[in-house]
Amino acid sequence: MHEALKLENQLCFRLYTASRLITQAYYPLLSAIGLTYPQYLVMMVLWEQDCLPVNDIAKRLYLETNTVTPLLKRMEAEGFVSRSRSSADARQVIVNLTPKGRSLENRASCVPLHIGKAIMCQSLNAESAPALFATLDDIISTLSPVATAGPAGSVGSEASAFPVDSK
Amino acid sequence: MHEALKLENQLCFRLYTASRLITQAYYPLLSAIGLTYPQYLVMMVLWEQDCLPVNDIAKRLYLETNTVTPLLKRMEAEGFVSRSRSSADARQVIVNLTPKGRSLENRASCVPLHIGKAIMCQSLNAESAPALFATLDDIISTLSPVATAGPAGSVGSEASAFPVDSK
DNA sequence: GTGTTTTATATCGTTCACGATGCAAATATA
DNA sequence: TATATTTGCATCGTGAACGATATAAAACAC
């Protein structure tokens, strides 16, 4: 019996499960305003900065364009965004918020607080949250192809032999 | 502008991204032995305890049976498991490892260490990992319908107003 | 300026996830 | 014993994810 192959010793399984369960908690809140969770992520990108090419949205979300393209098409069909070829560079497709998409921000503004209440628990609170954020950011930057930009060398974590996913 | 709607303040986005990127790191290791990541999770359940009904596998992985059923069918087609109706209760479908499925455990035993090396980083190490595990377990038990079993009342986290997903 | 390479997006096929729903077997209730 | 309810699994439809591949525009090489 391989101890390292026990479910209870898996980090990724915990991340995967926590992510899925929180996404399920979003479901009733988001479906009330007509969005899925990945669509909500795209909207958050565009609310921060409108008028972005597909590639910038994909990079910001660490997704491939072949995931984002159909996502944007569905959002265009729902009337939240519009897509148009750039005149400067005809390869690029620029994504814009429609008035309907822009107005959704106010209706979504209560979502984070609701979710915050739902996932609050003993080991996740105002003190522990920043450390959790930092750890997840570190994992993400370690695994993301080149990171989005930032200082060249970045963290550079030398891979050690510590078996994180096997305790 | 709603600060709580900024991507940088989202916990779920970090979990979702970290989960996806780690799953991608598994991909080359698992495809070498013919498994996808969700299939690998099912195998870990069965390596720990063989001969389980569909429902037990689903509960252990916090998945719905309508996700697990087609997953198991594909695994049966690949020859890793067999499925058969229980004679004691004809509603149940019992899942068994085939010899091929059982023998896969040895070939998979090197996977956790490889992944551990890949995701090691500054803020995730032998000291910090247990705390991260505990936090994720706490989130999962807070959000999972009834938890799998355990002491009745469980944690009972009183929902506070702390906006976890909005800083 | 022609040929090669790179870049930006899209198409295709497969595998999850999951809400909604269906159905048959088991169990509870009348 | 009939009827109603619950349980276990399955089917269906939709929306991600993503590897592999395609296509056209831009950038580069010569």
Side-chain angles (χ1 to χ4, degrees), chain B residues 19-55:
Chain B
S19 167
R20 281 180 32 251
L21 293 180
I22 298 183
T23 300
Q24 286 174 31
Y26 271 101
Y27 183 81
L29 301 173
L30 294 182
S31 70
I33 58 176
L35 293 174
T36 64
Y37 183 72
Q39 291 172 5
Y40 173 66
L41 293 179
V42 170
M43 293 304 281
M44 282 195 288
V45 170
L46 292 171
W47 288 329
E48 276 191 55
Q49 177 166 7
D50 198 359
C51 200
L52 290 174
V54 173
N55 204 24

PDB file of all heavy atoms in Angstrom, chain B residues 19-55:
ATOM      1  N   SER B  19      -5.806  24.882  -8.749  1.00  0.00           N
ATOM      2  CA  SER B  19      -6.284  23.539  -9.032  1.00  0.00           C
ATOM      3  C   SER B  19      -6.059  23.178 -10.496  1.00  0.00           C
ATOM      4  O   SER B  19      -5.555  22.094 -10.817  1.00  0.00           O
ATOM      5  CB  SER B  19      -7.761  23.453  -8.672  1.00  0.00           C
ATOM      6  OG  SER B  19      -8.339  22.282  -9.197  1.00  0.00           O
ATOM      7  N   ARG B  20      -6.412  24.090 -11.387  1.00  0.00           N
ATOM      8  CA  ARG B  20      -6.262  23.823 -12.819  1.00  0.00           C
ATOM      9  C   ARG B  20      -4.799  23.658 -13.197  1.00  0.00           C
ATOM     10  O   ARG B  20      -4.431  22.744 -13.954  1.00  0.00           O
ATOM     11  CB  ARG B  20      -6.887  24.944 -13.641  1.00  0.00           C
ATOM     12  CG  ARG B  20      -8.410  24.863 -13.755  1.00  0.00           C
ATOM     13  CD  ARG B  20      -8.935  26.029 -14.607  1.00  0.00           C
ATOM     14  NE  ARG B  20      -7.960  26.387 -15.603  1.00  0.00           N
ATOM     15  CZ  ARG B  20      -7.229  27.504 -15.614  1.00  0.00           C
ATOM     16  NH1 ARG B  20      -7.416  28.416 -14.699  1.00  0.00           N
ATOM     17  NH2 ARG B  20      -6.339  27.711 -16.550  1.00  0.00           N
ATOM     18  N   LEU B  21      -3.934  24.515 -12.679  1.00  0.00           N
ATOM     19  CA  LEU B  21      -2.524  24.450 -13.064  1.00  0.00           C
ATOM     20  C   LEU B  21      -1.861  23.184 -12.519  1.00  0.00           C
ATOM     21  O   LEU B  21      -1.035  22.573 -13.192  1.00  0.00           O
ATOM     22  CB  LEU B  21      -1.785  25.698 -12.575  1.00  0.00           C
ATOM     23  CG  LEU B  21      -2.206  27.021 -13.243  1.00  0.00           C
ATOM     24  CD1 LEU B  21      -1.415  28.196 -12.672  1.00  0.00           C
ATOM     25  CD2 LEU B  21      -2.001  26.963 -14.757  1.00  0.00           C
ATOM     26  N   ILE B  22      -2.227  22.779 -11.311  1.00  0.00           N
ATOM     27  CA  ILE B  22      -1.661  21.534 -10.781  1.00  0.00           C
ATOM     28  C   ILE B  22      -2.170  20.349 -11.586  1.00  0.00           C
ATOM     29  O   ILE B  22      -1.418  19.436 -11.917  1.00  0.00           O
ATOM     30  CB  ILE B  22      -1.983  21.361  -9.281  1.00  0.00           C
ATOM     31  CG1 ILE B  22      -1.364  22.504  -8.465  1.00  0.00           C
ATOM     32  CG2 ILE B  22      -1.463  20.014  -8.779  1.00  0.00           C
ATOM     33  CD1 ILE B  22      -1.574  22.379  -6.968  1.00  0.00           C
ATOM     34  N   THR B  23      -3.453  20.379 -11.937  1.00  0.00           N
ATOM     35  CA  THR B  23      -4.001  19.296 -12.760  1.00  0.00           C
ATOM     36  C   THR B  23      -3.245  19.198 -14.088  1.00  0.00           C
ATOM     37  O   THR B  23      -2.962  18.100 -14.571  1.00  0.00           O
ATOM     38  CB  THR B  23      -5.499  19.520 -13.019  1.00  0.00           C
ATOM     39  OG1 THR B  23      -6.171  19.562 -11.764  1.00  0.00           O
ATOM     40  CG2 THR B  23      -6.082  18.392 -13.858  1.00  0.00           C
ATOM     41  N   GLN B  24      -2.899  20.344 -14.647  1.00  0.00           N
ATOM     42  CA  GLN B  24      -2.108  20.338 -15.878  1.00  0.00           C
ATOM     43  C   GLN B  24      -0.732  19.722 -15.648  1.00  0.00           C
ATOM     44  O   GLN B  24      -0.186  19.061 -16.532  1.00  0.00           O
ATOM     45  CB  GLN B  24      -1.971  21.762 -16.423  1.00  0.00           C
ATOM     46  CG  GLN B  24      -3.243  22.296 -17.057  1.00  0.00           C
ATOM     47  CD  GLN B  24      -3.107  23.755 -17.463  1.00  0.00           C
ATOM     48  OE1 GLN B  24      -2.031  24.232 -17.815  1.00  0.00           O
ATOM     49  NE2 GLN B  24      -4.213  24.493 -17.397  1.00  0.00           N
ATOM     50  N   ALA B  25      -0.187  19.952 -14.461  1.00  0.00           N
ATOM     51  CA  ALA B  25       1.118  19.364 -14.152  1.00  0.00           C
ATOM     52  C   ALA B  25       1.026  17.840 -14.057  1.00  0.00           C
ATOM     53  O   ALA B  25       1.975  17.127 -14.369  1.00  0.00           O
ATOM     54  CB  ALA B  25       1.671  19.948 -12.854  1.00  0.00           C
ATOM     55  N   TYR B  26      -0.125  17.345 -13.623  1.00  0.00           N
ATOM     56  CA  TYR B  26      -0.346  15.898 -13.564  1.00  0.00           C
ATOM     57  C   TYR B  26      -0.430  15.288 -14.956  1.00  0.00           C
ATOM     58  O   TYR B  26      -0.119  14.109 -15.146  1.00  0.00           O
ATOM     59  CB  TYR B  26      -1.670  15.593 -12.835  1.00  0.00           C
ATOM     60  CG  TYR B  26      -1.591  15.441 -11.332  1.00  0.00           C
ATOM     61  CD1 TYR B  26      -1.972  16.474 -10.495  1.00  0.00           C
ATOM     62  CD2 TYR B  26      -1.162  14.249 -10.749  1.00  0.00           C
ATOM     63  CE1 TYR B  26      -1.926  16.338  -9.113  1.00  0.00           C
ATOM     64  CE2 TYR B  26      -1.123  14.110  -9.374  1.00  0.00           C
ATOM     65  CZ  TYR B  26      -1.503  15.153  -8.557  1.00  0.00           C
ATOM     66  OH  TYR B  26      -1.456  15.008  -7.197  1.00  0.00           O
ATOM     67  N   TYR B  27      -0.908  16.055 -15.907  1.00  0.00           N
ATOM     68  CA  TYR B  27      -1.284  15.509 -17.211  1.00  0.00           C
ATOM     69  C   TYR B  27      -0.236  14.580 -17.837  1.00  0.00           C
ATOM     70  O   TYR B  27      -0.552  13.416 -18.165  1.00  0.00           O
ATOM     71  CB  TYR B  27      -1.677  16.637 -18.171  1.00  0.00           C
ATOM     72  CG  TYR B  27      -2.132  16.157 -19.509  1.00  0.00           C
ATOM     73  CD1 TYR B  27      -3.427  15.690 -19.718  1.00  0.00           C
ATOM     74  CD2 TYR B  27      -1.245  16.124 -20.596  1.00  0.00           C
ATOM     75  CE1 TYR B  27      -3.837  15.217 -20.961  1.00  0.00           C
ATOM     76  CE2 TYR B  27      -1.649  15.656 -21.835  1.00  0.00           C
ATOM     77  CZ  TYR B  27      -2.937  15.203 -22.019  1.00  0.00           C
ATOM     78  OH  TYR B  27      -3.331  14.735 -23.249  1.00  0.00           O
ATOM     79  N   PRO B  28       1.012  15.041 -18.015  1.00  0.00           N
ATOM     80  CA  PRO B  28       1.988  14.135 -18.663  1.00  0.00           C
ATOM     81  C   PRO B  28       2.272  12.882 -17.847  1.00  0.00           C
ATOM     82  O   PRO B  28       2.469  11.803 -18.414  1.00  0.00           O
ATOM     83  CB  PRO B  28       3.243  15.013 -18.805  1.00  0.00           C
ATOM     84  CG  PRO B  28       3.053  16.139 -17.860  1.00  0.00           C
ATOM     85  CD  PRO B  28       1.581  16.367 -17.726  1.00  0.00           C
ATOM     86  N   LEU B  29       2.256  13.003 -16.526  1.00  0.00           N
ATOM     87  CA  LEU B  29       2.518  11.832 -15.686  1.00  0.00           C
ATOM     88  C   LEU B  29       1.391  10.815 -15.794  1.00  0.00           C
ATOM     89  O   LEU B  29       1.621   9.602 -15.874  1.00  0.00           O
ATOM     90  CB  LEU B  29       2.680  12.261 -14.225  1.00  0.00           C
ATOM     91  CG  LEU B  29       3.809  13.259 -13.918  1.00  0.00           C
ATOM     92  CD1 LEU B  29       3.735  13.720 -12.470  1.00  0.00           C
ATOM     93  CD2 LEU B  29       5.164  12.641 -14.214  1.00  0.00           C
ATOM     94  N   LEU B  30       0.154  11.316 -15.779  1.00  0.00           N
ATOM     95  CA  LEU B  30      -0.999  10.413 -15.784  1.00  0.00           C
ATOM     96  C   LEU B  30      -1.286   9.844 -17.162  1.00  0.00           C
ATOM     97  O   LEU B  30      -1.679   8.680 -17.289  1.00  0.00           O
ATOM     98  CB  LEU B  30      -2.237  11.133 -15.241  1.00  0.00           C
ATOM     99  CG  LEU B  30      -2.168  11.518 -13.761  1.00  0.00           C
ATOM    100  CD1 LEU B  30      -3.465  12.191 -13.325  1.00  0.00           C
ATOM    101  CD2 LEU B  30      -1.881  10.306 -12.896  1.00  0.00           C
ATOM    102  N   SER B  31      -1.093  10.649 -18.203  1.00  0.00           N
ATOM    103  CA  SER B  31      -1.395  10.125 -19.538  1.00  0.00           C
ATOM    104  C   SER B  31      -0.419   9.003 -19.886  1.00  0.00           C
ATOM    105  O   SER B  31      -0.744   8.125 -20.672  1.00  0.00           O
ATOM    106  CB  SER B  31      -1.368  11.246 -20.582  1.00  0.00           C
ATOM    107  OG  SER B  31      -0.052  11.694 -20.785  1.00  0.00           O
ATOM    108  N   ALA B  32       0.740   9.007 -19.248  1.00  0.00           N
ATOM    109  CA  ALA B  32       1.701   7.925 -19.468  1.00  0.00           C
ATOM    110  C   ALA B  32       1.158   6.590 -18.963  1.00  0.00           C
ATOM    111  O   ALA B  32       1.551   5.522 -19.449  1.00  0.00           O
ATOM    112  CB  ALA B  32       3.031   8.238 -18.778  1.00  0.00           C
ATOM    113  N   ILE B  33       0.265   6.634 -17.976  1.00  0.00           N
ATOM    114  CA  ILE B  33      -0.330   5.380 -17.495  1.00  0.00           C
ATOM    115  C   ILE B  33      -1.805   5.287 -17.872  1.00  0.00           C
ATOM    116  O   ILE B  33      -2.530   4.432 -17.366  1.00  0.00           O
ATOM    117  CB  ILE B  33      -0.148   5.208 -15.964  1.00  0.00           C
ATOM    118  CG1 ILE B  33      -0.771   6.373 -15.189  1.00  0.00           C
ATOM    119  CG2 ILE B  33       1.327   5.078 -15.621  1.00  0.00           C
ATOM    120  CD1 ILE B  33      -0.700   6.184 -13.678  1.00  0.00           C
ATOM    121  N   GLY B  34      -2.256   6.163 -18.759  1.00  0.00           N
ATOM    122  CA  GLY B  34      -3.587   6.025 -19.347  1.00  0.00           C
ATOM    123  C   GLY B  34      -4.730   6.578 -18.527  1.00  0.00           C
ATOM    124  O   GLY B  34      -5.888   6.192 -18.742  1.00  0.00           O
ATOM    125  N   LEU B  35      -4.436   7.473 -17.581  1.00  0.00           N
ATOM    126  CA  LEU B  35      -5.487   8.034 -16.735  1.00  0.00           C
ATOM    127  C   LEU B  35      -5.636   9.530 -16.923  1.00  0.00           C
ATOM    128  O   LEU B  35      -4.675  10.225 -17.234  1.00  0.00           O
ATOM    129  CB  LEU B  35      -5.173   7.766 -15.257  1.00  0.00           C
ATOM    130  CG  LEU B  35      -5.192   6.330 -14.750  1.00  0.00           C
ATOM    131  CD1 LEU B  35      -4.701   6.272 -13.309  1.00  0.00           C
ATOM    132  CD2 LEU B  35      -6.583   5.735 -14.861  1.00  0.00           C
ATOM    133  N   THR B  36      -6.851  10.030 -16.703  1.00  0.00           N
ATOM    134  CA  THR B  36      -7.061  11.471 -16.543  1.00  0.00           C
ATOM    135  C   THR B  36      -6.993  11.762 -15.040  1.00  0.00           C
ATOM    136  O   THR B  36      -6.983  10.825 -14.227  1.00  0.00           O
ATOM    137  CB  THR B  36      -8.446  11.887 -17.044  1.00  0.00           C
ATOM    138  OG1 THR B  36      -9.433  11.269 -16.227  1.00  0.00           O
ATOM    139  CG2 THR B  36      -8.643  11.474 -18.498  1.00  0.00           C
ATOM    140  N   TYR B  37      -6.998  13.025 -14.670  1.00  0.00           N
ATOM    141  CA  TYR B  37      -6.915  13.332 -13.247  1.00  0.00           C
ATOM    142  C   TYR B  37      -8.132  12.833 -12.460  1.00  0.00           C
ATOM    143  O   TYR B  37      -7.962  12.183 -11.422  1.00  0.00           O
ATOM    144  CB  TYR B  37      -6.672  14.826 -13.005  1.00  0.00           C
ATOM    145  CG  TYR B  37      -6.505  15.120 -11.536  1.00  0.00           C
ATOM    146  CD1 TYR B  37      -5.349  14.734 -10.863  1.00  0.00           C
ATOM    147  CD2 TYR B  37      -7.509  15.731 -10.802  1.00  0.00           C
ATOM    148  CE1 TYR B  37      -5.202  14.945  -9.510  1.00  0.00           C
ATOM    149  CE2 TYR B  37      -7.373  15.951  -9.449  1.00  0.00           C
ATOM    150  CZ  TYR B  37      -6.218  15.553  -8.803  1.00  0.00           C
ATOM    151  OH  TYR B  37      -6.086  15.761  -7.452  1.00  0.00           O
ATOM    152  N   PRO B  38      -9.369  13.081 -12.925  1.00  0.00           N
ATOM    153  CA  PRO B  38     -10.514  12.537 -12.184  1.00  0.00           C
ATOM    154  C   PRO B  38     -10.494  11.013 -12.109  1.00  0.00           C
ATOM    155  O   PRO B  38     -10.900  10.429 -11.099  1.00  0.00           O
ATOM    156  CB  PRO B  38     -11.720  13.051 -12.978  1.00  0.00           C
ATOM    157  CG  PRO B  38     -11.230  14.288 -13.639  1.00  0.00           C
ATOM    158  CD  PRO B  38      -9.801  14.015 -13.978  1.00  0.00           C
ATOM    159  N   GLN B  39     -10.024  10.377 -13.153  1.00  0.00           N
ATOM    160  CA  GLN B  39      -9.918   8.915 -13.125  1.00  0.00           C
ATOM    161  C   GLN B  39      -8.882   8.468 -12.102  1.00  0.00           C
ATOM    162  O   GLN B  39      -9.063   7.456 -11.414  1.00  0.00           O
ATOM    163  CB  GLN B  39      -9.554   8.387 -14.523  1.00  0.00           C
ATOM    164  CG  GLN B  39     -10.689   8.555 -15.534  1.00  0.00           C
ATOM    165  CD  GLN B  39     -10.275   8.210 -16.961  1.00  0.00           C
ATOM    166  OE1 GLN B  39      -9.157   7.752 -17.198  1.00  0.00           O
ATOM    167  NE2 GLN B  39     -11.165   8.438 -17.917  1.00  0.00           N
ATOM    168  N   TYR B  40      -7.805   9.219 -12.001  1.00  0.00           N
ATOM    169  CA  TYR B  40      -6.767   8.949 -10.992  1.00  0.00           C
ATOM    170  C   TYR B  40      -7.356   9.056  -9.587  1.00  0.00           C
ATOM    171  O   TYR B  40      -7.052   8.233  -8.712  1.00  0.00           O
ATOM    172  CB  TYR B  40      -5.636   9.953 -11.221  1.00  0.00           C
ATOM    173  CG  TYR B  40      -4.514  10.002 -10.216  1.00  0.00           C
ATOM    174  CD1 TYR B  40      -3.638   8.929 -10.039  1.00  0.00           C
ATOM    175  CD2 TYR B  40      -4.282  11.164  -9.479  1.00  0.00           C
ATOM    176  CE1 TYR B  40      -2.572   9.015  -9.142  1.00  0.00           C
ATOM    177  CE2 TYR B  40      -3.221  11.264  -8.595  1.00  0.00           C
ATOM    178  CZ  TYR B  40      -2.370  10.180  -8.429  1.00  0.00           C
ATOM    179  OH  TYR B  40      -1.319  10.285  -7.546  1.00  0.00           O
ATOM    180  N   LEU B  41      -8.221  10.032  -9.365  1.00  0.00           N
ATOM    181  CA  LEU B  41      -8.880  10.157  -8.063  1.00  0.00           C
ATOM    182  C   LEU B  41      -9.723   8.922  -7.756  1.00  0.00           C
ATOM    183  O   LEU B  41      -9.683   8.386  -6.651  1.00  0.00           O
ATOM    184  CB  LEU B  41      -9.765  11.411  -8.033  1.00  0.00           C
ATOM    185  CG  LEU B  41      -9.052  12.765  -8.103  1.00  0.00           C
ATOM    186  CD1 LEU B  41     -10.074  13.902  -8.083  1.00  0.00           C
ATOM    187  CD2 LEU B  41      -8.056  12.929  -6.969  1.00  0.00           C
ATOM    188  N   VAL B  42     -10.475   8.463  -8.744  1.00  0.00           N
ATOM    189  CA  VAL B  42     -11.281   7.255  -8.547  1.00  0.00           C
ATOM    190  C   VAL B  42     -10.378   6.067  -8.214  1.00  0.00           C
ATOM    191  O   VAL B  42     -10.671   5.273  -7.304  1.00  0.00           O
ATOM    192  CB  VAL B  42     -12.128   6.942  -9.801  1.00  0.00           C
ATOM    193  CG1 VAL B  42     -12.778   5.571  -9.687  1.00  0.00           C
ATOM    194  CG2 VAL B  42     -13.187   8.018 -10.008  1.00  0.00           C
ATOM    195  N   MET B  43      -9.263   5.964  -8.936  1.00  0.00           N
ATOM    196  CA  MET B  43      -8.341   4.857  -8.677  1.00  0.00           C
ATOM    197  C   MET B  43      -7.786   4.935  -7.264  1.00  0.00           C
ATOM    198  O   MET B  43      -7.634   3.905  -6.592  1.00  0.00           O
ATOM    199  CB  MET B  43      -7.195   4.869  -9.703  1.00  0.00           C
ATOM    200  CG  MET B  43      -7.627   4.548 -11.129  1.00  0.00           C
ATOM    201  SD  MET B  43      -8.482   2.982 -11.323  1.00  0.00           S
ATOM    202  CE  MET B  43      -7.113   1.830 -11.323  1.00  0.00           C
ATOM    203  N   MET B  44      -7.489   6.128  -6.784  1.00  0.00           N
ATOM    204  CA  MET B  44      -6.972   6.263  -5.416  1.00  0.00           C
ATOM    205  C   MET B  44      -7.996   5.780  -4.395  1.00  0.00           C
ATOM    206  O   MET B  44      -7.654   5.140  -3.403  1.00  0.00           O
ATOM    207  CB  MET B  44      -6.548   7.709  -5.143  1.00  0.00           C
ATOM    208  CG  MET B  44      -5.196   8.024  -5.765  1.00  0.00           C
ATOM    209  SD  MET B  44      -4.432   9.540  -5.125  1.00  0.00           S
ATOM    210  CE  MET B  44      -5.468  10.754  -5.877  1.00  0.00           C
ATOM    211  N   VAL B  45      -9.268   6.092  -4.660  1.00  0.00           N
ATOM    212  CA  VAL B  45     -10.330   5.593  -3.780  1.00  0.00           C
ATOM    213  C   VAL B  45     -10.338   4.069  -3.778  1.00  0.00           C
ATOM    214  O   VAL B  45     -10.378   3.440  -2.717  1.00  0.00           O
ATOM    215  CB  VAL B  45     -11.710   6.132  -4.234  1.00  0.00           C
ATOM    216  CG1 VAL B  45     -12.830   5.430  -3.475  1.00  0.00           C
ATOM    217  CG2 VAL B  45     -11.788   7.635  -4.034  1.00  0.00           C
ATOM    218  N   LEU B  46     -10.266   3.484  -4.965  1.00  0.00           N
ATOM    219  CA  LEU B  46     -10.367   2.021  -5.071  1.00  0.00           C
ATOM    220  C   LEU B  46      -9.105   1.307  -4.592  1.00  0.00           C
ATOM    221  O   LEU B  46      -9.180   0.188  -4.083  1.00  0.00           O
ATOM    222  CB  LEU B  46     -10.688   1.623  -6.515  1.00  0.00           C
ATOM    223  CG  LEU B  46     -12.078   2.029  -7.001  1.00  0.00           C
ATOM    224  CD1 LEU B  46     -12.226   1.784  -8.499  1.00  0.00           C
ATOM    225  CD2 LEU B  46     -13.165   1.286  -6.229  1.00  0.00           C
ATOM    226  N   TRP B  47      -7.959   1.943  -4.750  1.00  0.00           N
ATOM    227  CA  TRP B  47      -6.728   1.328  -4.222  1.00  0.00           C
ATOM    228  C   TRP B  47      -6.795   1.272  -2.699  1.00  0.00           C
ATOM    229  O   TRP B  47      -6.282   0.359  -2.084  1.00  0.00           O
ATOM    230  CB  TRP B  47      -5.497   2.116  -4.677  1.00  0.00           C
ATOM    231  CG  TRP B  47      -5.175   1.949  -6.132  1.00  0.00           C
ATOM    232  CD1 TRP B  47      -5.405   0.838  -6.896  1.00  0.00           C
ATOM    233  CD2 TRP B  47      -4.576   2.916  -7.002  1.00  0.00           C
ATOM    234  NE1 TRP B  47      -4.987   1.055  -8.192  1.00  0.00           N
ATOM    235  CE2 TRP B  47      -4.468   2.331  -8.291  1.00  0.00           C
ATOM    236  CE3 TRP B  47      -4.114   4.223  -6.847  1.00  0.00           C
ATOM    237  CZ2 TRP B  47      -3.925   2.991  -9.381  1.00  0.00           C
ATOM    238  CZ3 TRP B  47      -3.562   4.885  -7.927  1.00  0.00           C
ATOM    239  CH2 TRP B  47      -3.472   4.282  -9.190  1.00  0.00           C
ATOM    240  N   GLU B  48      -7.430   2.279  -2.109  1.00  0.00           N
ATOM    241  CA  GLU B  48      -7.584   2.265  -0.646  1.00  0.00           C
ATOM    242  C   GLU B  48      -8.611   1.223  -0.232  1.00  0.00           C
ATOM    243  O   GLU B  48      -8.441   0.501   0.738  1.00  0.00           O
ATOM    244  CB  GLU B  48      -8.018   3.654  -0.136  1.00  0.00           C
ATOM    245  CG  GLU B  48      -6.863   4.615   0.068  1.00  0.00           C
ATOM    246  CD  GLU B  48      -7.288   5.865   0.820  1.00  0.00           C
ATOM    247  OE1 GLU B  48      -7.838   5.739   1.910  1.00  0.00           O
ATOM    248  OE2 GLU B  48      -7.081   6.984   0.284  1.00  0.00           O
ATOM    249  N   GLN B  49      -9.730   1.187  -0.973  1.00  0.00           N
ATOM    250  CA  GLN B  49     -10.742   0.165  -0.694  1.00  0.00           C
ATOM    251  C   GLN B  49     -11.467  -0.227  -1.968  1.00  0.00           C
ATOM    252  O   GLN B  49     -12.204   0.574  -2.559  1.00  0.00           O
ATOM    253  CB  GLN B  49     -11.754   0.670   0.346  1.00  0.00           C
ATOM    254  CG  GLN B  49     -12.847  -0.373   0.589  1.00  0.00           C
ATOM    255  CD  GLN B  49     -13.657  -0.083   1.810  1.00  0.00           C
ATOM    256  OE1 GLN B  49     -13.506   0.963   2.432  1.00  0.00           O
ATOM    257  NE2 GLN B  49     -14.531  -1.000   2.178  1.00  0.00           N
ATOM    258  N   ASP B  50     -11.305  -1.469  -2.345  1.00  0.00           N
ATOM    259  CA  ASP B  50     -11.892  -1.992  -3.572  1.00  0.00           C
ATOM    260  C   ASP B  50     -13.354  -2.347  -3.312  1.00  0.00           C
ATOM    261  O   ASP B  50     -13.821  -2.349  -2.179  1.00  0.00           O
ATOM    262  CB  ASP B  50     -11.110  -3.238  -4.004  1.00  0.00           C
ATOM    263  CG  ASP B  50     -11.359  -3.591  -5.464  1.00  0.00           C
ATOM    264  OD1 ASP B  50     -12.147  -2.890  -6.123  1.00  0.00           O
ATOM    265  OD2 ASP B  50     -10.757  -4.573  -5.939  1.00  0.00           O
ATOM    266  N   CYS B  51     -14.088  -2.598  -4.406  1.00  0.00           N
ATOM    267  CA  CYS B  51     -15.408  -3.201  -4.280  1.00  0.00           C
ATOM    268  C   CYS B  51     -16.405  -2.250  -3.610  1.00  0.00           C
ATOM    269  O   CYS B  51     -17.030  -2.581  -2.614  1.00  0.00           O
ATOM    270  CB  CYS B  51     -15.263  -4.504  -3.471  1.00  0.00           C
ATOM    271  SG  CYS B  51     -16.605  -5.646  -3.687  1.00  0.00           S
ATOM    272  N   LEU B  52     -16.553  -1.068  -4.188  1.00  0.00           N
ATOM    273  CA  LEU B  52     -17.438  -0.060  -3.618  1.00  0.00           C
ATOM    274  C   LEU B  52     -18.590   0.248  -4.562  1.00  0.00           C
ATOM    275  O   LEU B  52     -18.425   0.215  -5.781  1.00  0.00           O
ATOM    276  CB  LEU B  52     -16.667   1.240  -3.364  1.00  0.00           C
ATOM    277  CG  LEU B  52     -15.634   1.255  -2.243  1.00  0.00           C
ATOM    278  CD1 LEU B  52     -14.869   2.577  -2.246  1.00  0.00           C
ATOM    279  CD2 LEU B  52     -16.317   1.035  -0.890  1.00  0.00           C
ATOM    280  N   PRO B  53     -19.767   0.570  -4.021  1.00  0.00           N
ATOM    281  CA  PRO B  53     -20.860   1.035  -4.871  1.00  0.00           C
ATOM    282  C   PRO B  53     -20.553   2.441  -5.389  1.00  0.00           C
ATOM    283  O   PRO B  53     -19.786   3.191  -4.771  1.00  0.00           O
ATOM    284  CB  PRO B  53     -22.064   1.051  -3.937  1.00  0.00           C
ATOM    285  CG  PRO B  53     -21.503   1.089  -2.569  1.00  0.00           C
ATOM    286  CD  PRO B  53     -20.173   0.407  -2.623  1.00  0.00           C
ATOM    287  N   VAL B  54     -21.184   2.791  -6.504  1.00  0.00           N
ATOM    288  CA  VAL B  54     -20.965   4.078  -7.161  1.00  0.00           C
ATOM    289  C   VAL B  54     -21.126   5.230  -6.177  1.00  0.00           C
ATOM    290  O   VAL B  54     -20.318   6.172  -6.148  1.00  0.00           O
ATOM    291  CB  VAL B  54     -21.957   4.249  -8.334  1.00  0.00           C
ATOM    292  CG1 VAL B  54     -21.871   5.649  -8.920  1.00  0.00           C
ATOM    293  CG2 VAL B  54     -21.690   3.211  -9.412  1.00  0.00           C
ATOM    294  N   ASN B  55     -22.129   5.125  -5.347  1.00  0.00           N
ATOM    295  CA  ASN B  55     -22.442   6.222  -4.431  1.00  0.00           C
ATOM    296  C   ASN B  55     -21.312   6.500  -3.446  1.00  0.00           C
ATOM    297  O   ASN B  55     -21.021   7.657  -3.136  1.00  0.00           O
ATOM    298  CB  ASN B  55     -23.728   5.877  -3.666  1.00  0.00           C
ATOM    299  CG  ASN B  55     -24.424   7.124  -3.175  1.00  0.00           C
ATOM    300  OD1 ASN B  55     -24.236   8.209  -3.728  1.00  0.00           O
ATOM    301  ND2 ASN B  55     -25.213   6.985  -2.131  1.00  0.00           N
TER     302      ASN B  55
END
